[in-house]
Amino acid sequence: MALGDDYITKEQLKERLGINDAVDDAVLSVAVSSATDGINTHCRRDFQKADAASARKFRATDAELVIVDDFHSTTGLILETDEDDDGVFETVWDAADYELEPLNGVVDGKTGWPYWRICAVGSRSFPTARRAGVRLTAPWGWADVPSNVVSAAYVIAEDVARLKDTAFGVGGYSEFGRIRARENPHAATFLQRYRRNTVRIGG
C-alpha cells in the first residue's frame, strides 16, 4: 500500500455485503474511495505509508517546537533549517538536537503511532521568520493502518454504497464524505482518537 491508497478493496466490501455479481462494481469502487477520502479529511491525516523518504517543508511558529506531517520511521530522516530566511536550508541538525513525539510512538498506552512533533532540545532553535524555515526528509504516513480505521472504512463505504437506494440517489453529505443524511455514530467512534486536533500525547 502507498499514501493515498484505499483502506479496503472493492472485493472486501463485496464480501462483507454478500454480493457475488459485478452489477454494482462501479458503485462499490466509488464507495470505497469515498470512504477513504472521508476518513482522511475527518482525521486530517493519511494512514497509509510511503516506503521511501522524501522532503517536505514546514513553518515553525515556536522556536522550540514544529508540527509536521505524520512519519512512521527515522530511517532516512534529515532535519534541516533555513537560518537566514533566504530559502536555503543550510543547517543540518544532529539527532542530539531534537526529540520526536509522541515519545516511543506511544499514545494513551497504545504503540504504533507515527511521529508528528519535533522538539528542539539542544542548542539549536527553529527559525520563525516569514518563509517556511524547516525541511524534513522522512518516510511519511503510518507503519500500519489502525484496525479502527479499517472498520470505519467498511462502515462508511457501506453507507455510500446504499445511496443508490435512496430517493434520487442522494443521501446527503457529512464530514465523512457523501453518505446518508445522518452522520454514522459508529464511524465517529472508531475514528475519534485519530483526529489530529484531538490527540493527546502527554499526561
Side-chain angles (χ1 to χ4, degrees):
M1 295 293 186
L3 290 175
D5 283 354
D6 293 328
Y7 299 125
I8 59 174
T9 66
K10 176 189 64 181
E11 289 70 26
Q12 288 172 323
L13 181 60
K14 289 175 70 172
E15 182 177 356
R16 178 184 175 96
L17 297 176
I19 297 174
N20 299 312
D21 57 52
V23 173
D24 292 320
D25 273 13
V27 171
L28 297 178
S29 292
V30 170
V32 166
S33 295
S34 294
T36 296
D37 182 64
I39 288 171
N40 291 354
T41 300
H42 177 71
C43 293
R44 301 182 179 92
R45 58 194 349 154
D46 188 331
F47 296 93
Q48 297 288 13
K49 70 175 181 179
D51 291 323
S54 60
R56 295 182 183 180
K57 298 178 183 179
F58 301 94
R59 180 173 284 106
T61 57
D62 187 308
E64 296 182 352
L65 173 70
V66 62
I67 306 297
V68 299
D69 298 330
D70 297 334
F71 61 99
H72 60 85
S73 172
T74 58
T75 301
L77 184 70
I78 303 172
L79 177 61
E80 304 165 283
T81 49
D82 171 10
E83 304 296 336
D84 52 6
D85 199 30
D86 64 352
V88 177
F89 297 88
E90 64 278 333
T91 302
V92 179
W93 288 40
D94 293 329
D97 292 328
Y98 60 87
E99 281 186 343
L100 305 177
E101 293 184 347
L103 296 174
N104 308 307
V106 176
V107 173
D108 292 334
K110 185 176 177 60
T111 60
W113 285 74
Y115 302 107
W116 71 89
R117 291 164 52 104
I118 305 177
C119 299
V121 296
S123 59
R124 298 196 182 282
S125 59
F126 295 113
T128 57
R130 297 177 64 184
R131 295 178 188 267
V134 179
R135 182 167 67 187
L136 182 67
T137 300
W140 306 106
W142 289 55
D144 298 291
V145 179
S147 57
N148 275 10
V149 171
V150 175
S151 296
Y154 277 114
V155 170
I156 298 167
E158 214 173 319
D159 271 356
V160 175
R162 287 174 176 157
L163 283 174
K164 68 183 182 65
D165 299 321
T166 62
F168 309 110
V170 176
Y173 292 80
S174 86
E175 60 187 322
F176 296 118
R178 189 169 183 244
I179 64 173
R180 287 181 296 181
R182 189 180 60 220
E183 182 180 304
N184 192 300
H186 299 296
T189 299
F190 284 135
L191 297 173
Q192 182 177 5
R193 66 158 46 186
Y194 297 105
R195 298 191 73 184
R196 274 191 69 137
N197 64 330
T198 60
V199 171
R200 294 178 58 195
I201 66 172

